[in-house]
Amino acid sequence: MSFSDLIPFVLLIITGLLVLVSVVFVVSGLDDLFIDIAYNVRKIYRKLFVMTKHKPLTEEQLLEPDEQPVAIMIPSWDESPVIRRMIENTLKSVNYSNYHIFVGTYPNDPATGREVELVREQFDNVHRIVCPKDGPTNKADCLNWVYQGIQMFESERNIKFQIYVIHDSEDIIHPLSLKLYNYLVPRKDMIQLPVFPIETGWSNFTAGHYIDEFSENHFKDLVVREFLNKSIPLPCSGV
């Protein structure tokens, strides 16, 4: 059998593989299609039956309620280049007064600890919680120790925090985010705010991937999860 006689069989195999790959892509994309359909159904429903009955929330409404005590929890490991600027920016920009910042650090990460201490020495609402074990462990472990430190702080200061907010060390907090939590809690048990990644150059492929991922997750997937009354992840929120 000559090579020219094999060409039809090769083309047949390639065609079969293309069909198989196409089917796999279609099946794997059905969940995304469902999310897109549910998202647009919710959008149309809200436009027709919700937004016509309720006015959008205004800044004046956010500023009206009395401020409840808020605890901002920030787990950190090897965050010395950003943690001090993050805390200082929060202190400078957030439109709220009744809050405390608790930063979790590790004994074997003195650089991050020093940066937190520099801010703590200047502001009495910034506190450092040192985990008992060397890091890195994981965010949940660090947050557990931060929460224990908050409980000790509540006992010593005779204060009871009504709202707990989780943030990462590189976050830029919206000035009115605490006002929004204060407005909705305790009517809502948990609030999840969308995260806006900072855009970077086209060559920063990892950062660009995060922009796409956050846009899809926070502005579509989480909205659909709430719409369907399903569990919602809690990477950054007020509770």
Side-chain angles (χ1 to χ4, degrees):
M1 182 179 292
S2 64
F3 179 75
S4 59
D5 294 330
L6 292 175
I7 291 178
F9 295 100
V10 174
L11 292 177
L12 181 63
I13 293 173
I14 293 175
T15 302
L17 290 175
L18 287 175
V19 172
L20 177 62
V21 171
S22 300
V23 171
V24 171
F25 271 103
V26 169
V27 172
S28 65
L30 289 178
D31 56 342
D32 293 328
L33 176 62
F34 172 78
I35 290 176
D36 289 339
I37 293 174
Y39 175 82
N40 285 286
V41 168
R42 174 189 179 275
K43 186 176 181 180
I44 295 172
Y45 173 82
R46 286 179 57 83
K47 186 174 183 180
L48 294 177
F49 301 105
V50 178
M51 303 307 294
T52 55
K53 298 179 181 178
H54 302 278
K55 295 181 179 179
L57 185 65
T58 64
E59 182 175 341
E60 289 73 19
Q61 289 176 284
L62 291 181
L63 300 177
E64 284 179 3
D66 294 334
E67 292 184 348
Q68 304 175 79
V70 176
I72 300 178
M73 309 165 67
I74 306 175
S76 61
W77 161 257
D78 194 22
E79 301 286 2
S80 57
V82 297
I83 187 63
R84 178 153 59 102
R85 285 184 295 170
M86 181 271 184
I87 299 173
E88 289 176 342
N89 179 71
T90 299
L91 293 165
K92 177 179 66 176
S93 61
V94 70
N95 184 1
Y96 210 84
S97 58
N98 192 9
Y99 71 97
H100 288 261
I101 298 175
F102 298 88
V103 186
T105 65
Y106 291 90
N108 61 332
D109 184 15
T112 301
R114 283 194 299 269
E115 294 296 311
V116 177
E117 286 295 325
L118 288 174
V119 187
R120 188 189 65 80
E121 292 172 357
Q122 301 179 55
F123 301 92
D124 58 4
N125 64 332
V126 176
H127 316 279
R128 178 187 173 203
I129 309 297
V130 182
C131 300
K133 298 180 180 179
D134 287 344
T137 55
N138 54 57
K139 182 181 292 187
D141 177 71
C142 187
L143 286 172
N144 284 337
W145 289 111
V146 171
Y147 180 67
Q148 289 192 33
I150 292 175
Q151 288 182 311
M152 294 177 60
F153 180 85
E154 288 178 321
S155 178
E156 294 171 357
R157 300 289 187 91
N158 193 27
I159 183 176
K160 181 63 177 177
F161 291 105
Q162 303 300 320
I163 301 172
Y164 292 84
V165 180
I166 303 171
H167 271 289
D168 287 333
S169 299
E170 68 277 5
D171 286 350
I172 300 175
I173 302 178
H174 191 283
L176 292 175
S177 61
L178 298 187
K179 287 291 187 180
L180 179 61
Y181 299 142
N182 185 63
Y183 181 84
L184 294 174
V185 175
R187 182 164 59 88
K188 298 292 184 180
D189 294 327
M190 188 271 286
I191 299 102
Q192 169 70 60
L193 294 186
V195 176
F196 292 86
I198 297 176
E199 293 189 25
T200 58
W202 67 269
S203 59
N204 296 315
F205 298 114
T206 301
H209 167 74
Y210 272 109
I211 292 175
D212 293 338
E213 183 178 339
F214 272 98
S215 299
E216 187 74 16
N217 287 340
H218 286 251
F219 293 94
K220 186 179 290 183
D221 290 11
L222 291 180
V223 171
V224 172
R225 280 176 177 266
E226 181 187 23
F227 177 58
L228 300 176
N229 291 321
K230 300 301 181 181
S231 60
I232 299 178
L234 206 67
C236 177
S237 64
V239 292

